[in-house]
């Protein structure tokens, strides 16, 4: 057998084997790997590269070595899932660096962390004053997670509006010029609705690179030709305008009617619409 053909067979076999191994190992991101898992990955890659090029190494021996190095972390992860003490031993524990706004110097020394490194990690979290931090913990994978003091935390919608409406994830309904029926069905929409929306914009389906529908039913488009200008979605603005019109009409009817009962009914419903308007206007303006 020619040398080049043997190298090709070895390389293809190893690539297929490594692909199968990575599927077995799972989808843990590279940033979430422990130092031990990271070293094993480098070693397996080195063995695979050497095995594909060095014809003096037996293919069976090389595959055996790769399997041992690859399956060992699988075995340890299985045990770690069932045993907390073993998991702590293999993956390590998180370490508290700041508690109640105070830096724990002993924990910094134990993790061989300098104050400069701590400040650098805080800056990466957009925190420039240690006094603003209520709690900071170094995770086993090396990430520093920070909890700001209550008065320093950014304002959220829930802080301003109690019980805000839930918002679902946007659904991609067109990709690469092709309609995706499943996301349309998830939103309770049809191809007819989609075609109607595109006709309003004067856009053909085949010209759409990406189209998404948000929880408000607004369709946003990204076209292949970026020079073509399309108008922004108007559904929320139209809904806001409709609510304002209903509220104004109720007030107008209350002024025009001579019936006392009808006048009270119109005024009561106008007040309800005004209350509703105050709640939803911040969400429908953007």
């Amino acid at each position: 057998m020619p040398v080049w053909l043997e190298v090709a067979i070895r390389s293809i076999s190893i690539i297929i084997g490594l692909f199968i191994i990575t599927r077995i190992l799972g989808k843990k991101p590279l940033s979430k790997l422990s130092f031990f898992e990271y070293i094993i990955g480098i070693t397996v890659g080195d063995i695979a590269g050497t095995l594909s090029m060095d014809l003096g190494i037996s293919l069976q021996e090389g595959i055996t070595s790769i399997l041992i190095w690859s399956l060992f972390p699988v075995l340890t992860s299985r045990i770690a899932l069932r045993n907390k003490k073993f998991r702590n031993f293999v993956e390590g524990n998180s370490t508290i660096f700041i508690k109640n706004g105070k830096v724990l110097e002993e924990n910094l020394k134990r993790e061989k962390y300098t104050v400069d490194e701590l400040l650098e990690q805080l800056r990466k979290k957009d925190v420039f004053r240690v006094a603003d931090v209520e709690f900071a913990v170094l995770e086993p994978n090396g990430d520093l997670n920070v909890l700001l003091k209550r008065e320093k935390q950014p304002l959220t919608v829930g802080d301003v509006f109690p019980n805000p409406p839930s918002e679902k994830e946007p659904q991609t309904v067109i990709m690469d010029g092709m309609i995706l029926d499943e996301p349309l069905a998830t939103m309770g929409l049809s191809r007819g609705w989609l075609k109607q929306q595109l006709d309003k914009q004067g856009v053909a389906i085949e010209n759409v690179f990406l189209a998404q529908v948000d929880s408000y039913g607004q369709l946003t488009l990204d076209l292949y030709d970026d020079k073509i200008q399309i108008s922004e979605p108007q559904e929320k603005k139209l809904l806001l305008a409709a609510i304002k019109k209903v509220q104004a009409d109720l007030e107008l009817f209350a002024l025009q009617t001579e019936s006392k009962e009808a006048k009270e009914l119109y005024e009561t419903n106008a007040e309800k619409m005004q209350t509703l308007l105050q709640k939803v206007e911040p969400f429908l303006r953007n």
Side-chain angles (χ1 to χ4, degrees), residues 2-276:
V3 175
W4 67 267
L5 182 58
E6 185 174 354
V7 171
I9 294 174
R10 279 172 171 254
S11 300
I12 294 173
S13 301
I14 291 170
I15 290 173
I16 295 173
L18 289 178
F19 176 77
I20 295 173
I21 289 172
T22 54
R23 298 295 293 180
I24 294 174
L25 292 176
K27 299 180 179 179
K28 184 185 290 187
L30 184 61
S31 60
K32 303 301 180 183
L33 294 178
S34 66
F35 183 72
F36 176 67
E37 292 170 331
Y38 181 71
I39 293 298
I40 284 182
I42 294 176
T43 305
V44 170
D46 185 56
I47 294 174
T50 303
L51 183 60
S52 64
M53 295 297 297
D54 192 345
L55 303 182
I57 301 176
S58 170
L59 190 60
Q60 292 83 356
E61 295 174 354
I63 291 175
T64 302
S65 177
I66 290 177
L67 287 175
I68 292 174
W69 276 90
S70 301
L71 296 180
F72 187 78
V74 175
L75 177 62
T76 57
S77 65
R78 291 287 185 270
I79 298 174
L81 285 173
R82 294 169 173 79
N83 191 300
K84 180 70 167 63
K85 291 183 179 179
F86 182 79
R87 181 163 67 249
N88 291 342
F89 174 74
V90 173
E91 298 181 0
N93 293 315
S94 41
T95 304
I96 300 172
F97 279 174
I98 301 176
K99 187 174 183 180
N100 298 327
K102 302 294 184 181
V103 178
L104 305 182
E105 295 84 358
E106 293 299 322
N107 288 354
L108 284 176
K109 293 178 182 178
R110 191 174 69 212
E111 295 295 342
K112 300 178 177 59
Y113 234 76
T114 66
V115 177
D116 288 333
E117 290 171 331
L118 175 61
L119 294 176
E120 178 186 352
Q121 293 301 317
L122 289 175
R123 288 193 294 269
K124 289 182 179 180
K125 301 289 184 178
D126 295 328
V127 178
F128 293 85
R129 291 203 331 156
V130 176
D132 295 342
V133 180
E134 178 69 26
F135 186 81
V137 58
L138 181 69
E139 304 295 351
N141 65 353
D143 287 344
L144 184 72
N145 289 320
V146 178
L147 175 66
L148 295 176
K149 292 182 177 179
R150 181 61 181 171
E151 64 272 15
K152 298 298 181 180
Q153 293 177 12
L155 197 64
T156 65
V157 174
D159 295 327
V160 181
F161 305 101
N163 303 317
S166 60
E167 188 166 338
K168 298 179 181 179
E169 72 279 6
Q171 296 288 335
T172 302
V173 294
I174 299 179
M175 184 181 294
D176 295 327
M178 302 292 294
I179 298 177
L180 306 179
D181 291 310
E182 184 176 345
L184 268 176
T186 300
M187 299 295 293
L189 303 173
S190 64
R191 287 193 173 211
W193 175 88
L194 181 59
K195 187 176 186 304
Q196 183 182 22
Q197 296 298 313
L198 293 176
D199 289 341
K200 288 181 180 178
Q201 301 279 0
V203 176
I205 292 177
E206 56 270 16
N207 293 331
V208 179
F209 174 67
L210 186 71
Q212 291 184 311
V213 179
D214 62 18
S215 56
Y216 296 96
Q218 294 186 128
L219 180 69
T220 54
L221 304 175
D222 186 273
L223 306 181
Y224 282 106
D225 190 353
D226 293 330
K227 294 180 180 179
I228 299 178
Q229 298 295 324
I230 53 177
S231 59
E232 295 182 359
Q234 301 294 323
E235 281 78 4
K236 289 198 290 185
K237 294 180 180 179
L238 291 173
L239 178 58
L240 179 60
I243 294 175
K244 287 182 176 180
K245 183 178 185 303
V246 171
Q247 194 271 338
D249 287 343
L250 289 171
E251 290 183 344
L252 180 61
F253 295 155
L255 293 173
Q256 291 178 340
T257 184
E258 296 180 358
S259 171
K260 183 178 180 180
E261 294 181 356
K263 185 179 186 68
E264 291 179 354
L265 179 63
Y266 287 139
E267 288 178 345
T268 300
N269 286 291
E271 291 176 359
K272 290 181 179 179
M273 290 301 298
Q274 180 62 34
T275 302
L276 175 64

